[in-house]
């Protein structure tokens, strides 16, 4: 059975991001009237592969929801995101090269916060100040922009529609930041000129998407919320401070779109068949050896946004269970199973030991997380190519055993299994 497509559904990354959310969103998009991004900004990199004639082409989304390749689906950037308009503009230009038109089917919340070049400069300055303790951010200005939002000095898309107000706010904000951080080398007049152009161009796309969703919900239209980043990068529930500055967990789905919590009927958790992380921070099941390198190479584990090598490790059932529980995940999309095909043995972490005792919770303390000793079970590999398997019964027995073991450990049904990058490389069960 393919994932349930309730009137309002969501897709959430349940590890440290890059689980394959973009691919699933693209696959399910044609079944929905709207796809909406609820959190994050261009720190996200969501990859899709699609058929163009008899060739396969690739697109990496940073801001636009991964459903835009389906001509009948409307795509929305929700209020919980932060957007850098020059990056969005580039993405729209790139889409044009792929033959995708956005008129009347792409919308930006008028409550979304705008991210400027100075946020990126502050991001870099803050990382430098942290020295060895740097987070390894994507340097996309995410933290500084959300800080402005929380600090109640942010500039929203609705402000751009009143350009005199925007100009005043932009100057005020930059002056404020420069008092804190010193000269940021931004040419105000030039920036204002550029934003005047953006104000004209984006005017037709900036709307009250909260009202749009109230109406769509009443009309029983179907909405899919596309989460960004991953639960373990959540500001509240992740491995703080090595996290992003928004809520990629289920809370962000509601605050980031204005869609009420009780309306969202199924939340599909995306889990890679192993674990990856890009940037610094604790990673209990990390493989800092040749095996980790091997997984990185076979999985093409290099950041879709920054190109950085992703750290790789075994599937962590403790972490997965924590993510599934706090987000109310109703079903799992297990991705990149094909990447493990060459391995003779595969491990899964099933228990954390700390000071020789089993930890019953996912600890808040970084010091504890760093000292944890994961306990593993070992399963036999299948050592057969599975990338052409179309149904569950085509998968080798040991591969089925691996899937069933994860299902048993998580007690959540795995309804789809990724066996390759392409749209057709997914098995529904
Ligand atoms: P996202 O941020 O969660 O959308 O994921 P990314 O796009 O950053 O990274 C996932 C990568 O894995 C992309 O290159 C996808 O094309 C690729 N991918 C997704 N699902 C599968 C799969 O089942 N098998 C393989 N081999 N690659 C996959
Ligand atoms: P998608 O949506 C993987 C990580 C960064 C860094 C930390 C903070 O593609 O899964 P930030 O720039 O947000 O302040 O960086 O969070 N990070 C991601 N890692 N995938 C992502 O998004 C990420 N978004 C942020 O690497 O460790
Ligand atoms: Mg990604």
């Amino acid at each position: 059975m393919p994932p349930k497509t309730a009137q309002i559904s969501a897709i959430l990354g349940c590890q440290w991001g890059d689980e394959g959310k973009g691919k699933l969103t693209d696959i399910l998009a044609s079944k929905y009237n709207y796809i909406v991004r609820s959190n994050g900004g261009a720190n996200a990199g969501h990859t899709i592969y699609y058929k163009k004639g008899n060739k396969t082409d690739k697109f990496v989304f940073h801001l636009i929801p991964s459903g835009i390749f389906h001509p009948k689906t409307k795509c929305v950037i929700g209020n919980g995101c932060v957007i850098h308009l020059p990056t969005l503009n580039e993405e729209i230009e790139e889409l044009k090269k792929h033959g995708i038109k956005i008129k009347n089917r792409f919308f930006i919340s008028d409550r979304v916060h705008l991210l400027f070049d100075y946020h990126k400069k502050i991001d870099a300055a803050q990382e430098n100040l942290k020295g060895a303790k740097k987070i390894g951010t994507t340097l996309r200005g995410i933290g500084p922009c959300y800080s402005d939002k929380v600090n109640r000095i942010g500039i929203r898309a609705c402000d751009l529609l009143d350009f005199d107000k925007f100009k005043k706010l932009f100057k005020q904000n930059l002056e404020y930041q420069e008092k804190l951080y010193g000269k940021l080398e931004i040419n105000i007049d030039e920036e204002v000129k550029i934003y005047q152009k953006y104000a004209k161009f984006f005017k037709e796309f900036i709307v009250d998407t909260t009202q749009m969703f109230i109406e769509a919900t009443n009309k029983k239209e179907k909405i899919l919320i596309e989460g960004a980043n991953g639960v373990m990068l959540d500001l509240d529930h992740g491995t703080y401070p090595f996290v992003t500055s928004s809520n990629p967990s289920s809370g962000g789905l509601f605050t980031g779109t204005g869609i009420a919590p009780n309306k969202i009927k199924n939340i599909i958790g995306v889990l890679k068949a192993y674990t990856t992380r890009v940037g610094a921070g604790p990673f209990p099941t990390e493989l800092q050896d040749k095996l980790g390198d091997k997984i990185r190479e076979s999985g093409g584990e290099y950041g879709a946004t920054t190109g950085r090598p992703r750290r790789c490790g075994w599937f962590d059932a403790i972490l997965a269970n924590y993510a599934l529980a706090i987000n109310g995940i109703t079903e799992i999309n297990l991705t990149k199973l094909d990447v493990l095909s060459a391995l003779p043995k595969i491990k899964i972490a099933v228990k954390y030991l700390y000071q020789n005792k089993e930890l019953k919770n996912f600890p808040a303390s970084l010091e504890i997380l760093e000292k944890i000793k994961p306990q593993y079970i070992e399963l036999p590999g299948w050592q057969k190519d599975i990338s052409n398997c179309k149904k569950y019964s085509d998968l080798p027995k040991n591969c089925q055993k691996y899937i069933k073991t994860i299902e048993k450990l998580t007690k959540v049904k795995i309804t789809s299994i990724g066996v390759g990058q392409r749209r057709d490389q997914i098995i529904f069960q």
Side-chain angles (χ1 to χ4, degrees):
M1 281 263 290
K4 284 196 199 83
T5 52
Q7 189 201 344
I8 305 182
S9 310
I11 289 176
L12 274 193
C14 287
Q15 289 152 324
W16 277 290
D18 304 327
E19 299 89 349
K21 299 172 290 294
K23 177 185 164 188
L24 185 66
T25 305
D26 171 60
I27 288 172
L28 298 182
S30 63
K31 300 188 191 313
Y32 290 89
N33 302 96
Y34 294 91
I35 311 288
V36 49
R37 269 275 305 267
S38 51
N39 75 291
N43 50 354
H46 295 182
T47 317
I48 67 155
Y49 283 79
Y50 70 101
K51 256 217 152 114
K52 199 175 178 190
N54 34 15
K55 272 201 337 216
T56 299
D57 215 341
K58 172 184 173 180
F59 195 87
V60 182
F61 292 99
H62 298 290
L63 287 164
I64 296 175
S66 314
I68 201 86
F69 277 66
H70 297 268
K72 289 193 182 135
T73 307
K74 293 178 184 144
C75 286
V76 180
I77 298 182
N79 60 278
C81 299
V82 288
I83 56 169
H84 182 245
L85 290 180
T87 304
L88 179 58
N89 197 42
E90 268 174 38
E91 200 164 314
I92 291 169
E93 287 303 312
E94 201 53 41
L95 276 173
K96 271 191 207 157
K97 290 187 202 153
H98 288 253
I100 302 300
K101 297 197 180 99
I102 58 160
K103 210 173 165 56
N104 297 326
R105 50 186 295 263
F106 171 62
F107 304 95
I108 302 168
S109 164
D110 55 2
R111 289 174 170 86
V112 86
H113 278 251
L114 299 180
L115 187 153
F116 300 101
D117 285 350
Y118 58 77
H119 290 122
K120 295 191 192 189
K121 293 196 174 186
I122 296 168
D123 197 351
Q126 287 179 342
E127 282 285 89
N128 282 338
L129 263 179
K130 285 180 184 147
K133 292 198 168 122
K134 68 164 69 145
I135 294 164
T137 73
T138 57
L139 299 176
R140 297 293 172 113
I142 305 295
C145 185
Y146 278 115
S147 302
D148 280 6
K149 175 176 175 175
V150 174
N151 213 7
R152 292 153 296 173
I153 54 163
I155 304 178
R156 297 180 299 163
C158 58
D159 301 322
L160 196 65
L161 302 180
D162 176 352
F163 202 73
D164 285 336
K165 180 183 175 194
F166 172 83
K167 229 166 38 185
K168 215 165 98 196
L169 285 175
F170 184 80
K171 283 184 185 164
Q172 252 174 24
N173 199 317
L174 188 54
E175 273 167 25
Y176 177 90
Q177 308 284 5
E178 288 192 327
K179 276 190 190 142
L180 289 174
Y181 297 101
K183 274 272 163 247
L184 291 166
E185 279 157 38
I186 302 280
N187 183 327
I188 292 193
D189 295 332
E190 255 176 44
E191 282 290 294
V192 166
K193 241 195 226 159
I194 293 170
Y195 274 85
Q196 195 152 22
K197 273 197 203 148
Y198 287 142
K200 267 199 196 129
F201 177 74
F202 284 108
K203 192 171 170 228
E204 66 176 290
F205 302 108
I206 299 171
V207 298
D208 185 344
T209 57
T210 308
Q211 180 62 22
M212 187 184 223
F213 288 134
I214 292 173
E215 289 169 20
T217 309
N218 289 340
K219 281 195 271 175
K220 301 270 180 270
E221 288 189 300
K222 295 184 80 171
I223 305 168
L224 175 65
I225 311 173
E226 178 183 9
N229 324 130
V231 171
M232 300 315 292
L233 291 169
D234 187 274
L235 189 54
D236 287 270
H237 301 290
T239 46
Y240 189 89
F242 296 98
V243 292
T244 188
S245 299
S246 70
N247 286 117
S249 63
S250 56
L253 301 171
F254 325 130
T255 55
T257 59
I259 297 170
N262 60 347
K263 295 271 195 296
I264 303 177
K265 297 297 180 207
N266 71 315
I267 307 181
I268 308 166
V270 189
L271 281 166
K272 231 175 239 187
Y274 47 97
T275 312
T276 63
R277 170 164 210 170
V278 62
F283 182 172
T285 62
E286 183 171 14
L287 288 161
Q288 287 174 303
D289 54 13
K290 287 214 167 90
L291 194 50
D293 296 342
K294 191 172 168 179
I295 295 176
R296 181 177 312 110
E297 291 319 309
S298 31
E301 295 295 357
Y302 292 89
T305 296
T306 59
R308 289 178 293 176
R310 294 174 184 151
R311 298 155 64 194
C312 297
W314 297 121
F315 185 88
D316 183 339
I318 304 100
L319 179 150
N321 281 336
Y322 171 67
L324 300 177
I326 62 172
N327 292 294
I329 299 297
T330 48
E331 54 186 304
I332 294 172
N333 169 220
L334 188 69
T335 65
K336 305 192 86 163
L337 195 58
D338 54 299
V339 174
L340 301 179
S341 289
L343 305 183
K345 283 181 183 138
I346 305 171
K347 289 186 183 180
I348 298 177
V350 290
K351 207 192 272 183
Y352 283 167
L353 287 189
Y354 175 64
Q355 294 179 335
N356 293 324
K357 278 199 207 107
E358 184 181 352
L359 265 186
K360 292 285 181 201
N361 64 326
F362 193 87
S365 153
L366 276 191
E367 286 67 32
I368 297 180
L369 262 175
E370 268 150 15
K371 289 190 193 118
I372 266 172
K373 291 206 170 59
Q375 305 297 298
Y376 295 95
I377 53 167
E378 192 174 85
L379 286 106
W382 46 92
Q383 298 190 286
K384 270 189 200 121
D385 179 17
I386 58 167
S387 60
N388 292 316
C389 292
K390 299 283 175 223
K391 45 186 199 304
Y392 185 76
S393 56
D394 293 343
L395 294 169
K397 283 283 166 280
N398 283 349
C399 184
Q400 293 184 2
K401 190 170 170 193
Y402 187 70
I403 297 166
K404 286 288 160 230
T405 305
I406 292 180
E407 242 177 14
K408 223 183 197 170
L409 288 166
T410 58
K411 300 188 184 71
V412 179
K413 176 92 182 138
I414 296 172
T415 53
S416 53
I417 301 149
V419 293
Q421 293 176 319
R422 297 192 319 263
R423 280 174 176 166
D424 62 332
Q425 287 177 307
I426 190 160
I427 295 174
F428 296 118
Q429 63 144 355

